[in-house]
Amino acid sequence: MGKSKKKELTFPQKMNKLMHAGVDNNQMIYNRQHDLSSIESLDERIKRVIGLLNVPKKKSLNMLFFVMYDIESNKVRNQVAKYLLRKGCFRVQRSIFLADLNNQDYEQIRLDLSEVQACYDNHDSIMIVPISTDFLRSMKIIGKSIDIDIIMNSKNTLFF
């Protein structure tokens, strides 16, 4: 007898199985400590953002968007982060991702995260925010000693 292939589960289906595998709100681990070893340095993250802005010919069907979340469960939060990375988003901060993807990928991410949010009782929030390159160019970083204006060559200098 031949082995039958298992049907690949979608991300929301996997998360639904996880949430129904004995994890309930009383068992949730609410620990905000993160392992930061997998996150690039701030310099590298800024270079990635600038790289998105300096693409000579941006694909017409692509859009820039942030995905930001506040997810209490470590298991859910880690799975959402891994999912976003697999889909082509990159981490800007611990719970903020930036993507330059086509509309179809944007919609898939939005639908999948909506399903995950609805599959268990929680107090989580997930925001997906489309952003223009002009707004991204006007980004300011507060709290680190990096002059984003110099890096992005956006400072206007007047000589008299």
Side-chain angles (χ1 to χ4, degrees):
M1 273 194 149
K3 288 185 180 180
S4 63
K5 260 190 164 178
K6 275 189 167 181
K7 184 181 174 193
E8 180 73 23
L9 297 176
T10 65
F11 177 66
Q13 290 170 331
K14 288 177 188 176
M15 292 302 297
N16 197 13
K17 282 184 92 165
L18 173 71
M19 296 316 300
H20 290 92
V23 178
D24 62 23
N25 284 343
N26 296 331
Q27 296 172 319
M28 293 270 189
I29 301 168
Y30 301 113
N31 181 356
R32 291 297 181 181
Q33 294 179 0
H34 295 270
D35 174 17
L36 301 179
S37 62
S38 64
I39 298 178
E40 298 171 321
S41 71
L42 181 59
D43 288 338
E44 290 300 315
R45 289 179 278 152
I46 289 172
K47 287 177 186 173
R48 299 259 327 249
V49 171
I50 293 167
L52 288 178
L53 296 173
N54 293 332
V55 174
K57 287 190 175 182
K58 188 168 166 51
K59 293 179 183 175
S60 62
L61 296 179
N62 274 23
M63 63 186 295
L64 282 169
F65 60 94
F66 282 107
V67 178
M68 300 171 270
Y69 55 75
D70 185 12
I71 298 174
E72 295 174 332
S73 166
N74 284 342
K75 285 184 179 182
V76 174
R77 187 174 55 250
N78 289 335
Q79 290 301 314
V80 168
K82 288 176 185 176
Y83 168 77
L84 292 171
L85 291 170
R86 277 193 314 271
K87 293 299 276 182
C89 303
F90 74 90
R91 194 173 232 141
V92 177
Q93 290 188 352
R94 290 180 187 158
S95 60
I96 301 174
F97 289 77
L98 180 62
D100 182 16
L101 300 172
N102 64 46
N103 290 335
Q104 184 178 350
D105 288 334
Y106 168 82
E107 275 303 312
Q108 187 64 56
I109 289 170
R110 188 186 65 74
L111 289 171
D112 287 350
L113 293 178
S114 294
E115 284 184 45
V116 168
Q117 176 69 11
C119 79
Y120 68 103
D121 186 30
N122 64 71
H123 295 90
D124 300 346
S125 61
I126 302 171
M127 295 189 299
I128 302 174
V129 182
I131 185 168
S132 71
T133 53
D134 290 340
F135 283 131
L136 195 57
R137 277 191 175 92
S138 66
M139 169 183 67
K140 302 292 180 205
I141 297 176
I142 299 170
K144 289 289 181 179
S145 60
I146 294 180
D147 191 341
I148 192 74
D149 291 327
I150 290 173
I151 294 170
M152 295 178 67
N153 299 317
S154 63
K155 249 189 187 162
N156 293 323
T157 307
L158 298 174
F159 294 98
F160 293 98

